[in-house]
Amino acid sequence: MTMAMPLFLMFLLLHIAWVASSDLRPGFYSKTCPKAELIVRDVMKKALMREPRSVASVMRFQFHDCFVNGCDGSMLLDDTPTMLGEKLALSNINSLRSYEVVDQVKEALEKDCPGVVSCADIIIMASRDAVSLTGGPEWEVRLGRLDSLSANQEDSNNIMPSPRANASSLIDLFQKYNLTVKDLVALSGSHSIGQGRCFSVMFRLYNQSGTGRPDPAIDPSYRQYLNRLCPLDVDQNVTGNLDSTPFVFDNQYFKDLAARRGFLNSDQTLFTFPHTREFVRLFSRRKTEFFKAFVEGMLKIGDLQSGRPGEVRTNCRLVNARPINLLLQSPHNMESNDK
């Protein structure tokens, strides 16, 4: 990702609203869909048992959704003849996966309380459950989001960082959302679970910064492992673990960074860059501090809203088929009408 963003995009980022009012609140569906959070967790448990990697994939949906025009479920929309969605954006194509888990959650919710729970809120609940079900912290989520009426591949391309990003560019990006350096490092700990593709590390192994040589920041024994996993002629969709405990949400990710065993350049740079290194060291020593900071960061990201009109989709992949003048303006109004 280049940080030389078009002026209009900088303006857009600066005007994404932070919602800290009654619009988002815990227990939002307590009357309209009281079993919503239990239903989401049940589907996530089944997904974890079926394929552990899938829950790590779903957890990352929150970042990819909320950073692009707020948390509105836009990244779940399929392409249409008139709209290029975000699924094929540079940071998502061949990277984000397990959309079917969200489909399964939505199907279960529609059976219990049709037309009530937004896909944007499903992402928030499922991300939380992905963390807690794999050994990470539990927290109370704020709900009440609307689903977007469109998606924007260009915005995703311009906003989302590359695996090649360095700490300096990541700090600049996070600051545009009022997220601190500590937030950046803690939220990068989402890579405590899951896997990454060889595609994302080939330049580190064979041509770091155009030198034709490997990244000197990689521990030599770890580089040998990566060379075996990702030789020059490899299918670049082959995957490797993002840390040495890929199915457990813990602070091993930070211990690996301190040992120069980070899989992605955007991860290892957090230890090589002085402004972020202190937090890597802190979180590597104190898991409770990491968990606390991670929850705070997830709540901040979850509050990112664009303020644009929306709806509650009945299918997370498609905008509802009905006249624009009948679109819901607020799920809060819907809940109030049921009182």
Side-chain angles (χ1 to χ4, degrees):
M1 170 186 167
T2 175
M3 296 310 297
M5 294 183 180
L7 184 60
F8 79 92
L9 185 57
M10 292 286 290
F11 180 83
L12 175 65
L13 290 177
L14 291 172
H15 284 77
I16 289 181
W18 283 81
V19 178
S21 67
S22 60
D23 290 337
L24 299 180
R25 63 183 186 274
F28 182 84
Y29 298 108
S30 60
K31 294 183 179 179
T32 55
C33 192
K35 294 191 292 183
E37 294 192 50
L38 293 175
I39 290 171
V40 176
R41 177 160 293 234
D42 181 62
V43 175
M44 290 296 288
K45 283 181 180 178
K46 293 175 181 175
L48 177 63
M49 290 186 290
R50 186 169 57 248
E51 186 195 2
R53 185 185 171 198
S54 66
V55 298
S57 302
V58 172
M59 177 190 56
R60 283 188 262 287
F61 285 3
Q62 179 165 337
F63 300 90
H64 289 252
D65 187 42
C66 295
F67 265 33
V68 182
N69 302 321
C71 310
D72 59 4
S74 60
M75 59 151 291
L76 299 173
L77 288 172
D78 289 340
D79 288 357
T80 71
T82 58
M83 182 198 74
L84 285 178
E86 297 163 23
K87 289 182 176 179
L88 298 183
L90 295 175
S91 63
N92 299 343
I93 187 172
N94 295 326
S95 177
L96 291 188
R97 55 194 295 280
S98 301
Y99 294 102
E100 71 279 358
V101 175
V102 174
D103 294 336
Q104 292 159 8
V105 172
K106 184 61 173 173
E107 182 179 0
L109 287 168
E110 287 297 303
K111 288 179 180 178
D112 194 67
C113 38
V116 173
V117 181
S118 70
C119 301
D121 277 345
I122 289 174
I123 289 176
I124 298 297
M125 289 184 279
S127 296
R128 183 268 313 274
D129 292 343
V131 173
S132 61
L133 288 171
T134 52
E138 175 79 43
W139 66 94
E140 194 172 45
V141 291
R142 297 190 279 263
L143 304 172
R145 295 164 188 79
L146 288 169
D147 296 323
S148 70
L149 307 180
S150 64
N152 193 311
Q153 187 177 118
E154 183 178 2
D155 284 354
S156 183
N157 287 338
N158 287 328
I159 294 170
M160 293 304 297
S162 159
R164 301 188 182 198
N166 60 36
S168 180
S169 65
L170 291 170
I171 289 171
D172 289 343
L173 173 63
F174 273 59
Q175 284 179 340
K176 291 179 175 66
Y177 297 95
N178 291 337
L179 294 166
T180 66
V181 173
K182 185 177 183 180
D183 293 327
L184 162 63
V185 179
L187 290 169
S188 297
S190 65
H191 288 169
S192 172
I193 55 175
Q195 298 180 314
R197 294 185 300 146
C198 284
F199 171 83
S200 300
V201 297
M202 297 301 284
F203 74 100
R204 291 191 72 202
L205 295 176
Y206 304 108
N207 192 27
Q208 177 77 339
S209 302
T211 63
R213 299 177 61 83
D215 180 359
I218 306 176
D219 170 73
S221 63
Y222 184 58
R223 186 176 71 239
Q224 290 176 3
Y225 159 75
L226 291 178
N227 286 144
R228 291 192 299 270
L229 177 71
C230 306
L232 279 169
D233 60 350
V234 72
D235 174 354
Q236 295 192 23
N237 287 317
V238 168
T239 58
N241 298 331
L242 291 174
D243 81 350
S244 52
T245 56
F247 303 117
V248 180
F249 193 96
D250 54 19
N251 65 335
Q252 184 63 44
Y253 164 83
F254 297 104
K255 295 177 182 179
D256 288 348
L257 296 188
R260 299 191 298 151
R261 299 174 69 87
F263 186 80
L264 301 176
N265 188 76
S266 55
D267 289 335
Q268 192 59 57
T269 186
L270 299 177
F271 188 72
T272 57
F273 194 68
H275 290 80
T276 48
R277 185 186 300 134
E278 62 177 298
F279 292 113
V280 172
R281 285 177 170 157
L282 171 65
F283 297 150
S284 71
R285 294 191 302 264
R286 301 179 62 181
K287 185 171 72 171
T288 55
E289 287 294 322
F290 163 48
F291 281 6
K292 178 182 177 183
F294 183 83
V295 169
E296 290 173 354
M298 290 292 276
L299 289 171
K300 286 182 181 180
I301 287 183
D303 283 349
L304 288 171
Q305 302 291 295
S306 69
R308 297 176 178 178
E311 63 180 4
V312 174
R313 294 184 209 134
T314 57
N315 180 338
C316 292
R317 295 174 179 262
L318 304 169
V319 173
N320 293 342
R322 62 185 183 216
I324 191 69
N325 63 326
L326 294 181
L327 289 173
L328 291 170
Q329 293 186 358
S330 169
H332 175 71
N333 292 341
M334 178 180 64
E335 186 181 63
S336 298
N337 292 336
D338 286 347
K339 291 180 180 179

